[in-house]
Amino acid sequence: MDKVCAVFGGSRGIGRAVAQLMARKGYRLAIIARNLEGAKAAAGDLGGDHLAFSCDVAKEHDVQNTFEEMEKHLGRVNFLVNAAGINRDSLLVRTKTEDMISQLHTNLLGSMLTCKAAMRTMIQQQGGSVVNVGFVHTDMTKDLKEEHLKKNIPLGRFGETIEVAHAVVFLLESPYITGHVLVVDGGLQLIL
C-alpha cells in the first residue's frame, strides 16, 4: 500500500506538526487548508513532492473535489488526518448563532465529510487509517485564559503540537488499533 496521506488543516498547528513528522517518515502528503497560499508554504517547507490543496471542509462538494484531485496527482489516499478546525469559544450568552454554526460545520461536519470521502477509497483497497485530532496550545487557542487552564493540567503545561503528532502517527501506523480514542492531555482526564 502506498503511503499517501491527506492532512486537513496541515498548514499550521497540529496538522503542520503531523505533516512534518510524516514527511520525515517517507509519506507522500497532501496538505489541505482553506488558504491555498498557507498550504503551499507548508508543503514547500517539507521538501519532496508533497502537494497543497485548498478546501472548505464544511462544503461536501469541496471535499469531494479535493479527494478527486489528490487521487489524480498523488494516488489513492490511504491515510487521513483531520486537524482542520476553528475556534469561536466565548460565553454562551455572547456567542453569535452564526459562530456556533460555523464551528459545528467546520469541526464536526467537516471531519465527517472527509471521513466519508476517504472511506470510499479505503473500502475499495481494504485498508487505511483515519485519525481525528483535538487541540493543544496553538495559535487557534491563543485567546484562552492559559494560566487558569494550566493549573488544572497535572503536568502543569499545555501539550506541544509535536507531542500530538507522535500520537497521530502512532495510530496511523498501528493497523490493528481500531475505533480507539487516545487521550493526549497531560493527565487532565485523570482529575475530571
Side-chain angles (χ1 to χ4, degrees):
M1 185 182 330
D2 288 334
K3 291 168 67 170
V4 176
C5 181
V7 183
F8 283 83
S11 67
R12 58 191 190 138
I14 295 170
R16 189 173 189 139
V18 168
Q20 291 167 340
L21 184 56
M22 295 181 81
R24 288 195 298 267
K25 292 172 95 29
Y27 287 80
R28 293 177 59 215
L29 300 170
I31 306 301
I32 305 106
R34 255 188 221 179
N35 179 310
L36 183 58
E37 293 309 312
K40 284 181 178 179
D45 288 347
L46 299 174
D49 60 350
H50 309 293
L51 298 179
F53 299 91
S54 174
C55 179
D56 181 346
V57 295
K59 297 179 180 173
E60 188 168 15
H61 185 69
D62 270 16
V63 172
Q64 290 172 347
N65 286 343
T66 301
F67 271 88
E68 288 170 12
E69 288 298 309
M70 286 187 290
E71 191 166 319
K72 187 188 312 178
H73 297 288
L74 287 171
R76 289 186 172 181
V77 172
N78 38 41
F79 297 92
L80 169 64
V81 176
N82 280 314
I86 60 173
N87 182 14
R88 302 288 188 262
D89 286 346
S90 183
L91 291 174
L92 184 59
V93 295
R94 293 185 186 159
T95 303
K96 296 177 186 169
T97 301
E98 53 268 18
D99 285 342
M100 290 183 219
I101 292 169
S102 177
Q103 192 164 352
L104 283 170
H105 281 184
T106 299
N107 298 359
L108 178 61
L109 180 63
S111 291
M112 294 170 74
L113 292 174
T114 58
C115 286
K116 179 180 175 182
M119 285 300 118
R120 291 186 181 111
T121 298
M122 291 178 184
I123 289 169
Q124 288 173 354
Q125 62 190 13
Q126 297 182 339
S129 296
V130 176
V131 175
N132 298 311
V133 299
F135 71 89
V136 291
H137 184 65
T138 64
D139 62 336
M140 187 175 92
T141 60
K142 67 182 180 287
D143 294 328
L144 295 176
K145 305 288 187 258
E146 292 183 24
E147 292 311 311
H148 171 70
L149 294 172
K150 279 198 271 189
K151 285 187 228 176
N152 294 322
I153 300 172
L155 288 183
R157 64 176 179 83
F158 285 110
E160 297 294 326
T161 56
I162 192 64
E163 293 170 315
V164 177
H166 282 288
V168 169
V169 173
F170 165 75
L171 289 172
L172 289 173
E173 294 182 338
S174 301
Y176 207 64
I177 295 176
T178 185
H180 184 71
V181 175
L182 179 60
V183 179
V184 182
D185 69 355
L188 183 61
Q189 196 162 354
L190 297 172
I191 62 169
L192 296 178

